[in-house]
Amino acid sequence: PVHRTPAGPAEHRAAERLVGSWPNYEDLSGLELQFSQLKEAVAKRCTVGFRYRKAEGAKNVNGVQPYQLVNHDGIWYLAAMDAGQLKAYTFTKIEGLLLNHDDRFEPDLSVVQKLEEEDSIWLNFVKTEVVLKINKDVASYFERRKLIGGQKIVKALEDGGLIVSGQIAHPNQIWPTVRAWLPHVRIISPEHLQVELEQQLRGYLDAH
């Protein structure tokens, strides 16, 4: 599920109450001040700058327009415009946050609408079709709810199971769902996603 902190100043206090009430969100101990500062930047519509930790090293980011703080599957992200491109920054990878109170921006309504319509945090990415085989024991859950982005029931199997398709822009959109429903759900396409998932699980078991 995707949860968003309200963007407007009028809803800012409501956001304060909501942050701690959503289930399964990551522990932000020690980052409360930075989280509060980002919410302030969203509410006051002032640009921000920060260092962003990436696998290849930290990158300095400046003049970013923060639109929303979004909680997707328990992980917090900052949805923001950077040099005219809508991006999603993982909150816990943000360091040295600076608010530019003298540099305000007017939100682009088309960006606001896109954020409201998007059912994930993977913005501006090409979507790939993923196909799952659902065991009959949990098929009813997938019939009643859309548990993956763009979910469609492709086929009802004779044994009571389902073939379900969806659209994803990143493997992290599908792996948590499949892990949560193991061993009743399997990725049948693209095959490499199932292979990588099994490698992750073996690595976890070996480490423990």
Side-chain angles (χ1 to χ4, degrees):
V2 177
H3 303 288
R4 298 175 170 85
T5 57
E11 297 90 349
H12 189 52
R13 286 185 296 276
E16 294 282 355
R17 296 193 298 272
L18 286 169
V19 168
S21 66
W22 293 325
N24 303 321
Y25 63 94
E26 63 184 331
D27 183 11
L28 300 181
S29 299
L31 296 173
E32 296 92 345
L33 177 58
Q34 179 168 280
F35 194 89
S36 178
Q37 289 174 328
L38 264 183
K39 285 197 294 180
E40 178 185 353
V42 170
K44 293 184 176 179
R45 299 170 181 171
C46 61
T47 63
V48 298
F50 49 82
R51 288 188 306 278
Y52 191 63
R53 290 185 287 109
K54 303 180 72 173
E56 58 270 26
K59 174 186 177 184
N60 289 324
V61 181
N62 295 297
V64 170
Q65 299 176 345
Y67 272 72
Q68 287 182 344
L69 278 162
V70 182
N71 189 298
H72 179 65
D73 286 338
I75 305 298
W76 286 103
Y77 299 88
L78 172 66
M81 290 293 289
D82 181 7
Q85 184 176 358
L86 186 57
K87 296 182 179 181
Y89 295 97
T90 304
F91 171 72
T92 54
K93 294 182 180 180
I94 293 174
E95 299 175 341
L97 178 68
L98 292 174
L99 275 63
N100 305 316
H101 292 284
D102 296 329
D103 185 16
R104 303 296 177 96
F105 68 96
E106 191 64 31
D108 184 330
L109 294 181
S110 65
V111 174
V112 173
Q113 182 178 359
K114 179 177 177 62
L115 287 170
E116 290 301 322
E117 293 175 350
E118 183 64 45
D119 62 0
S120 78
I121 192 58
W122 305 101
L123 308 167
N124 284 351
F125 285 82
V126 175
K127 301 291 179 73
T128 299
E129 183 181 54
V130 62
V131 182
L132 307 179
K133 183 177 181 181
I134 314 299
N135 185 284
K136 64 179 181 179
D137 295 332
V138 300
S140 62
Y141 293 99
F142 284 80
E143 289 175 324
R144 293 198 300 266
R145 296 179 57 195
K146 290 191 175 183
L147 298 175
I148 60 175
Q151 178 176 313
K152 294 180 181 179
I153 296 177
V154 177
K155 183 179 181 181
L157 302 175
E158 291 184 2
D159 64 0
L162 297 171
I163 300 296
V164 170
S165 71
Q167 298 290 324
I168 65 170
H170 191 281
N172 283 346
Q173 283 182 265
I174 194 66
W175 283 334
T177 300
V178 176
R179 283 195 294 262
W181 292 94
L182 287 174
H184 305 291
V185 175
R186 181 179 180 85
I187 303 171
I188 58 178
S189 176
E191 292 182 10
H192 71 87
L193 292 182
Q194 179 66 28
V195 173
E196 291 176 39
L197 176 62
E198 292 173 0
Q199 291 173 343
Q200 292 174 13
L201 295 173
R202 280 195 294 269
Y204 175 81
L205 293 174
D206 290 344
H208 294 77

